[in-house]
Amino acid sequence: MFGFIFRPRKTKSAQTAKDRLQILLAHERGSGPAPDFLPELQREILEVIRRHMKIDKDAVEIKMDRGDEWSSLEINIEFPNKEKDDSDKEADKDEGEDKAKA
Amino acid sequence: MTSNLTQKPKVQGKIIVITSGKGGVGKTTSAAAISAGLAQRGHKTVVIDFDVGLRNLDMIMGCERRVVFDFINVIQGDARLKQALIKDKRLENLFILPTSQTRDKDALTKEGVEKVLNELRDEFEYIVCDSPAGIERGAQMAMYFADEAVVVTNPEVSSVRDSDRVLGLLSSKTARAERPGAEPIKAQVLLTRYDVQRIARGEMMTVDDVLEILAVPLLGIVPESPAVLRASNEGVPVTMDEPSAASAAYMDAVARLTGEEVEMRLASDKRPGLFQRLFGRTG
Ligand SMILES: Nc1ncnc2c1ncn2[C@@H]1O[C@H](COP(=O)(O)OP(=O)(O)OP(=O)(O)O)[C@@H](O)[C@H]1O
Ligand SMILES: [Mg+2]
């Protein structure tokens, strides 16, 4: 009776723990502990973009979301519209998917 | 003291180190709970993982899938601070600065740490530093620039002994200790994993026993509570999870940290726990 009441709850948080670890460890085991290439990737992106337009060195924003079957890498580049007034600043958004298997 | 009650002055952020000497006593749990608790009370807060090489704060905070850059990347100039800060998805005021998994504690240079902390001081009201265990470089860097210290202690001999060592370091090997005329670090003890039953049976030291030995003020008493493991399973700081004896204790400690006077009390999990198990829980 008590087991019946308590067990589903317990397995719930323990299962969440297991799921979270499996996703994380799949990434850590696969491509080394941390994505160390990201600082370099950022430098290179900045370099390429700068060949074509003037952007600030703070302008590149990289976001990562590691998923079970897919992860996403979101790269945002912000730049001012030099022609217009600075009243409306626009952001260029570029999304890419980085495949990773669990 | 010239205080103006109607106006909230823009003060520099306060650096609070969560330290202990001994490992596994509840530093990371406390750093997560306290930083979330401060943010829940409306204070803009950042929590930093100083445990270089053994990143874990990200898991306890539930943001492990979103780490891109880390504290060490920022120290070494490979990323900007704002790129490495992870904004909590649940609390507007809460940010996490994760640590590196690939580097070691030597990457924590005093100059680098100071630069990052100074930048954070301008942005945040509270900067909570989760120290690694031990008294080596990592722990020393975590405490060096602190304004206040929370010394996490369990009611058992080795933990109390290590806390005593750490209190010694706080009053000798820190910026405030070295700067002539500076106020010393305000250190308080947070007793965690407090097991009322074992204490009643005389198997564990009481609050009074511990305080008598360490002779510093008490910030709070966090009981041994199953809510802590559950919250860590889910990646939720215990103060943001459903109410429990541990969350109540941490919220009291947070109130005291912000200068409120809150009577010491020891909540129990038993009754609300059972009640919630049967009726209260959603999701
Ligand atoms: N009040 C509590 N009740 C029950 N379990 C607790 C409590 N506080 C901490 N724990 C458990 O103790 C263990 C160690 O906690 P934590 O990781 O916070 O310690 P730590 O001091 O950061 O460890 P380390 O020295 O390795 O960094 C964890 O399994 C945690 O769930
Ligand atoms: Mg820890």
Side-chain angles (χ1 to χ4, degrees):
Chain A
M1 176 61 194
F2 266 55
F4 180 72
I5 293 171
F6 294 140
R7 203 179 302 131
R9 245 192 72 85
K10 271 190 186 146
T11 28
K12 216 171 153 196
S13 104
Q15 188 61 47
T16 309
K18 189 179 170 194
D19 294 345
R20 293 174 61 215
L21 276 170
Q22 274 175 333
I23 292 171
L24 191 70
L25 296 183
H27 288 280
E28 291 182 352
R29 287 175 183 150
S31 56
D36 256 1
F37 61 90
L38 283 169
E40 202 185 329
L41 175 70
Q42 174 178 272
R43 258 194 306 272
E44 287 173 359
I45 290 171
L46 198 65
E47 215 178 279
V48 173
I49 307 267
R50 274 182 161 172
R51 272 185 228 147
H52 305 281
M53 50 196 192
K54 260 178 92 174
I55 57 168
D56 198 71
K57 70 178 193 304
D58 283 354
V60 181
E61 186 193 349
I62 301 186
K63 278 189 186 160
M64 175 90 109
D65 196 353
R66 292 172 191 80
D68 191 352
E69 284 182 44
W70 295 91
S71 296
S72 71
L73 193 64
E74 192 183 315
I75 298 168
N76 265 292
I77 297 155
E78 231 173 53
F79 57 91
N81 292 337
K82 46 182 179 253
E83 242 88 48
K84 287 182 190 168
D85 272 85
D86 50 350
S87 52
D88 69 342
K89 282 193 179 171
E90 248 180 63
D92 181 42
K93 197 172 174 183
D94 200 279
E95 271 183 50
E97 298 249 278
D98 162 48
K99 58 178 182 290
K101 283 199 183 116
Chain B
M1 202 161 69
T2 56
S3 67
N4 186 343
L5 292 173
T6 54
Q7 206 177 317
K8 200 169 139 199
K10 176 89 181 102
V11 286
Q12 272 220 319
K14 191 178 272 181
I15 299 174
I16 302 175
V17 61
I18 315 292
T19 183
S20 70
K22 188 168 157 57
V25 295
K27 291 178 296 295
T28 301
T29 303
S30 300
I34 288 172
S35 56
L38 286 164
Q40 281 166 283
R41 291 176 62 100
H43 301 289
K44 195 173 177 198
T45 303
V46 58
V47 56
I48 311 178
D49 192 346
F50 272 81
D51 205 344
V52 185
L54 288 173
R55 176 155 92 204
N56 270 324
L57 180 68
D58 58 335
M59 281 226 96
I60 302 302
M61 299 298 294
C63 64
E64 73 278 0
R65 290 158 69 159
R66 295 163 59 212
V67 176
V68 182
F69 297 118
D70 59 54
F71 190 20
I72 304 302
N73 290 143
V74 179
I75 288 179
Q76 299 186 337
D78 288 328
R80 318 281 299 175
L81 180 56
K82 78 168 199 234
Q83 296 178 308
L85 286 173
I86 301 176
K87 189 176 188 310
D88 189 89
K89 285 192 166 161
R90 302 150 297 199
L91 285 174
E92 187 64 27
N93 283 325
L94 183 58
F95 290 76
I96 299 110
L97 184 55
T99 195
S100 167
Q101 247 183 335
T102 48
R103 316 299 174 84
D104 59 37
K105 309 235 174 345
D106 292 337
L108 290 172
T109 60
K110 200 181 267 185
E111 298 68 33
V113 171
E114 182 173 30
K115 200 172 134 264
V116 173
L117 289 176
N118 281 342
E119 216 175 310
L120 290 171
R121 269 195 149 129
D122 293 334
E123 281 288 316
F124 292 90
E125 282 177 79
Y126 289 97
I127 298 141
V128 176
C129 304
D130 180 22
S131 172
I135 51 171
E136 309 292 311
R137 181 168 196 88
Q140 288 189 15
M141 283 302 110
M143 70 169 70
Y144 191 80
F145 297 101
D147 302 305
E148 292 194 21
V150 174
V151 181
V152 180
T153 309
N154 295 162
E156 52 93 19
V157 286
S158 53
S159 174
V160 175
R161 182 197 196 180
D162 287 2
S163 292
D164 192 63
R165 295 253 349 243
V166 162
L167 286 165
L169 291 176
L170 286 166
S171 59
S172 62
K173 294 246 158 60
T174 53
R176 280 181 177 273
E178 288 168 4
R179 201 182 327 129
E183 281 266 308
I185 290 180
K186 182 178 174 193
Q188 289 173 282
V189 169
L190 182 66
L191 261 181
T192 61
R193 311 207 68 165
Y194 198 80
D195 190 329
V196 183
Q197 268 125 44
R198 300 192 68 181
I199 286 160
R201 289 199 296 268
E203 294 172 14
M204 271 183 154
M205 285 180 284
T206 66
V207 184
D208 293 335
D209 293 337
V210 175
L211 292 183
E212 192 186 321
I213 296 165
L214 294 180
V216 284
L218 178 66
L219 179 67
I221 309 163
V222 181
E224 177 78 18
S225 166
V228 172
L229 179 62
R230 184 182 63 230
S232 75
N233 279 341
E234 291 176 343
V236 179
V238 73
T239 49
M240 283 164 67
D241 207 8
E242 62 184 72
S244 65
S247 69
Y250 276 119
M251 285 315 280
D252 281 357
V254 166
R256 291 182 197 112
L257 269 179
T258 64
E260 250 176 63
E261 270 187 42
V262 183
E263 202 193 326
M264 273 305 157
R265 54 191 165 190
L266 199 60
S268 153
D269 264 325
K270 288 274 159 50
R271 302 196 57 217
L274 184 61
F275 182 79
Q276 266 148 17
R277 273 175 183 151
L278 295 174
F279 308 111
R281 170 87 176 173
T282 52

